[in-house]
Amino acid sequence: MSSVAVLTQESFNEHRSGLLPEQSGAAVAGPSGREEEDALPTYKDAFPPLPERAATPDGTQETTNAWTKIRPLKSSIITQVFHVPLEERKYKDINQFGEGDQAKVCVDIMHKTGAHLELSLAKDQGLSIMVSGKLDAVMKARKEIVSRLQTQASATVAIPKEHHRFVIGKNGEKLQELELKTATKIQIPRPDDPSNQIKISGTKEGLEKAKHEILLISAEQDKRAVERVNIDKVYHPFITGAYNKMVGEMTQETGARINVPPPSVNKTEIVITGEKEQVALAVAMIKKVYEEKKKNTTTIAVEVKKSQHKYVVGPKGNTLQEILDRTGVSVEIPPSDSSSETVILRGEPDRLGQALTEVYAKANSYTVSSVSAPSWLHRFIIGKKGQNLAKITQQMPKVHIEFTEGEDKITLEGPTKDVQMVQSQIEAIVTDLVSRMDYAEISVDPKFHRHLIGKGGVNINRIKEMHKVTVRIPPDNEKSNLIRIEGDPQGVQEAKKELLELASRMENERTKDLIIEQRFHRAIIGQKGEKIKEVRDKFPEVIINFPDPAQKSDIVQLRGPRTEVEKCSKFMQKMVAEMVENSYSVSVPIFKQFHRNIIGKGGSNIKKIREETNTKIDLPAENSNSEMILITGKKVNCEAARNRILAIQKELANITEVDVSIPSKLHISLIGPKGRLVRAIMEECGGVHIHFPNEGSGVDKVTIRGPVEEVEKAKQQLLTLAEEKQTKSHTVELHAKPEYHKFLIGKGGGNIRKVRDSTGARIIFPTPEDKDQELITVVGTEEAVREAQKELEELIKSLDNIVEDTMNVDPKHHRYFVARRGQVLRDLADEYGGVMDAQVTMECVIPQKFHRSIMGPKGSRIQQITRDHNVQIKFPEREDPQAAQAETPAQENGEANGELKEPLDPEAPKRCDVIVLSGRKERCEAAIEALKALVPVTIEVDVPFELHRYIIGQKGSGIRKMMDEFEVNIQVPGPDLQSDKIAITGLASHLDRAKEGLLVRVKELQADQEDRALRSFKLTITVDPKYHPKIIGRKGAIITNIRTEHDVNIQFPEKNDENQDQITITGYEHKAIAARDAIQAIVDELEEMVSEDITLDSRVHARIIGARGKGIRKIMDEFKVDLRFPQSGAADPNLVSVIGRPEHVDEAIDHLLNLEEEYMADVAENEAKMAHMRPPGGSVAAAGGGVSDENRGPSKGFVVREAPWANTNEKAPDMSSSEDFPSFGAPVPTKTSPWGPKRF
């Protein structure tokens, strides 16, 4: 009985591929009868059964067929549900479910772990939490839920102390896994704590789980055993085997871990750990090996040199392992700290001979040799950075070369042949070096070593380079006298000689300190050290050190050879003596008006005097009040220069010089405190010069020089004063405010002269240099001084009573007071005692619109003027134009409210324009000039109107930048004015720079304008629209390249444009023409192309085009053609156009036809396969004539043999039933869940 079932496409292909060609043909032909029955596949062949599991020793089922290779796909997202009973809930407020602290905790857990939580309450008020997410996130969330939403309990579990480490695991990994798995906190006592109690805290459920897991780990460890077996150390190599092979095999066979102590550890105990059965098996195997070797082995002792032991052992003991592997004999080497040379071989008697041969071979395979070489040559043999030695070791890497410091030999160690070759090479190097090199040692006191080296090594490096030698000077910490010289024999001797000479010279060296006043140090050194360089060049062996200027020391240190130091010392002392001699100075008083005559035209007179007298002559500055000319040089020269200068003064004016004899004891009293008295006489007598001799000289002669009349006057005053001093001189001091002094003196000294004439006393006022500016000294007889004091006190009292008053004068009259530079004010001051001369008030008229710019930011400019000129400046109130009009009532015939008003002066300045300054007259005038200098000035610059917008710039950035740069205001006229004038307003000093900057900007813009005009050249070219895409290129590549190369703009016509064949090119004329030629070249090339249509079966179009057009692009690039396939719905779906050069088109067509032939074979084969899968209504071509569907009758579907339902009463599956054969993708009813839809 046959049954019908549906077979999938994959099963059919698999089944068909398994049939023989004959069977395949028969199946297609539709066989009948028994043959048809036999050709049917069995049910198991068509539908392979699911995998079965075979029984394993542990009782589990193991899969046995190919299905086991298929690994099931698992979702990375898992969902777990946790229950928290009511009694264990931390938050039990039922009314606030979904709110409060519990909700906040859940949100925090979700943020922290990345898992998704959903909470619900059970009927028993227990909390159910569904957690979704990745496994790791779910486990972390579970731990957080238990610790934060569930009440915690604690318990202890006791396990043996030695099992604790297994609970912890490697790096604590096992403990962390346990805590995460059980959502508990596990505390294990520290190793030094004797307790074996492990504390667990968490939920009830978690406690039980954790306890169970810990007890399981402990129980597992209880099954394990540790066995220690004592085996003689000499037999350990047989148990481990060569290269640990034997012990490895035992471990693999038994599963136990075997720990054999290494040869370097003197222990006999072998430790075996593992399961009890495994340990017992391993112990038995070890003992068996031990007993066998103990019974069958014997020993032989041989003597091998101690130095050769290491060759027997080999690197890391490899040679011993090699001998054990080859012969089975263990070689026992005495410890390195033992002096014994006996080597013991242990093994089976028939193997000992072979092992002994190998031991001797290894011992003698290496040799130790030495080469005699002076220790000073070692570094030359090694070479710079080991270069020489590296050449040898690269050729013979097995040879070890050892240099021992202080020994005259080189030790070689390695294979005998290699050592011999290296020895011969080194001996040849040593012979060569000895023949051409030498060394010498000299003894020099260490204190001279640094001088031999020189500053920065300059001395020693010079010697090394000159003589081609190396010089080793011991470092200071060695405290050695020996200096070693190595190199060419002749160079060594010459360097030795030079070093000894230097050392000898240093032994004779001495240090001397010269006392030279610091004021001469700079003169000795000279400008940029020129003078001291001359001294050092004259005495090159002497080192001259000057003290730091900050130390203010007079000691100059000389160091060098004794004789040279003495010579240098004398030379410098001579220099200092000359400087002292040349530092004599004298002051000559010359009237200020004659200074320019002494200087002469272009400084000719003063220059001539300086050169002829060899002196330095300094004149006071022009703005100085001093009349003294200072002459510096030798005394004789200074006197000569002084006489010549005085002679010039005599020639120019009626100057006379008179000597007056006054007793020297009176000189100090005549000069007065700080020269006040004599200075007062000189000023009073027209500026004569009075010269007193030096104090203590005992000379009575006083010299008076000046105009004849003034000299005589001064002489009389001096004699009178001297007479008064001799008889009875009296002095009184008064104090008066400095501002009163000018009023006390009066105009031209009139007031003070009246007092002096009436009383006969001399009155001395303080000079600007005096500290006490209020002190007035009165000198004369007691009676005269008393009267003068009385008059002065009355004057001072009257000045104290002076009051300040103000009066209002209409501003329109102010200009009369200040006219002619304030002549009216000066006359008033002279007539009424000069009081008004102290302070003046002046007006400065500046239009109000400039006041703000004059004041500057926050009044900074006006504050600066106030400080600089010591004046007060008051600006008027701002005038409101509307208020001014309101205040001015209508007038008729000059009358207002019945009162007659004087008409306003049209030339009078407005009150709002007048700035008032108060202070001293000269300062106010200077301040007015400063104010006027701050008044902004406006100039106009012609700038073409069309450039204005470019000067302003985007959002005014251009003009702002210029205003900030030049500190001016630039006003551009509005567009409606169409004006070419731009106004620049600012300080006069800034205007020129701003105008120049603006004109430079205009030139730049005009240049840009011209450039834009040149770049706006337009050119059109007529090109057939069908060529436009080719000119543009793929993704615009071709046209972009033309634009970039020629720096032009190329515009193609819009879709709705009438002239579809016009392409516009914009740019420089020559570049636009070049771009046009480039486009025309492309068009010419395109016009040469041909287009041919070929017929390609539409079924192969997709294969030719390829994924994302990859195939067609490859063909087009390879053959340089363009392919166009028909669109869907085309009249001829098989028509393909090939466009390109004729030769390229032919090649591309041949290639396409070949591809069609190849792809059509595949299409035919696929269609043949699909024929067998057609529905019952379709037709199948039969092999050998063909049978129609009508002739074949109704289709039976796919027929199989030996189906499960064939031998039972069950019905075959109903193919029309959606329950027996559900369709893929059909909707499946989902079961509702209290938790909502599942998340996958």
Side-chain angles (χ1 to χ4, degrees), residues 519-570:
R519 64 192 176 103
F520 296 123
H521 289 183
R522 183 176 292 179
I524 294 170
I525 294 169
Q527 191 175 9
K528 296 183 180 178
E530 290 175 358
K531 289 189 177 179
I532 197 65
K533 186 175 181 297
E534 291 175 6
V535 177
R536 284 175 174 151
D537 290 343
K538 192 169 185 177
F539 304 98
E541 296 178 358
V542 179
I543 298 170
I544 305 169
N545 289 326
F546 285 86
D548 192 321
Q551 295 178 357
K552 296 184 179 179
S553 172
D554 295 336
I555 298 173
V556 178
Q557 192 180 70
L558 308 179
R559 190 178 71 248
R562 189 184 302 274
T563 55
E564 291 296 311
V565 166
E566 289 298 329
K567 289 179 183 176
C568 184
S569 173
K570 289 178 181 176

Side-chain angles (χ1 to χ4, degrees), residues 782-930:
E782 186 176 354
E783 185 182 352
V785 166
R786 194 182 302 115
E787 288 180 9
Q789 181 182 5
K790 183 179 178 183
E791 288 191 27
L792 284 172
E793 284 176 348
E794 287 177 359
L795 282 171
I796 292 169
K797 188 176 180 182
S798 65
L799 287 171
D800 285 335
N801 293 330
I802 288 174
V803 295
E804 184 178 314
D805 197 4
T806 59
M807 65 176 292
N808 293 323
V809 177
D810 197 307
K812 66 184 180 182
H813 303 306
H814 288 187
R815 57 198 178 97
Y816 299 114
F817 290 98
V818 297
R820 291 174 296 141
R821 297 188 179 180
Q823 184 62 43
V824 175
L825 293 174
R826 282 199 297 275
D827 292 343
L828 286 171
D830 292 341
E831 186 175 350
Y832 297 102
V835 177
M836 293 181 65
D837 194 38
Q839 293 284 333
V840 297
T841 300
M842 301 180 75
E843 292 180 350
C844 177
V845 179
I846 296 174
Q848 191 183 42
K849 62 181 179 180
F850 299 128
H851 288 187
R852 181 173 293 178
S853 62
I854 290 172
M855 289 181 181
K858 297 182 180 179
S860 59
R861 291 177 180 171
I862 212 67
Q863 290 169 10
Q864 186 65 37
I865 293 173
T866 304
R867 284 195 298 271
D868 292 347
H869 301 284
N870 193 21
V871 295
Q872 291 183 355
I873 302 173
K874 184 179 180 182
F875 280 80
E877 297 292 332
R878 289 187 66 82
E879 184 182 39
D880 188 353
Q882 294 179 356
Q885 290 175 7
E887 288 175 4
T888 308
Q891 296 181 6
E892 187 175 340
N893 298 324
E895 293 185 10
N897 299 328
E899 295 181 7
L900 204 62
K901 293 272 184 175
E902 185 181 340
L904 295 174
D905 186 356
E907 295 182 3
K910 294 181 181 179
R911 275 188 294 175
C912 60
D913 296 339
V914 177
I915 301 171
V916 180
L917 295 88
S918 300
R920 292 187 182 275
K921 178 175 170 293
E922 62 277 5
R923 291 177 179 174
C924 287
E925 289 174 350
I928 288 171
E929 293 299 323

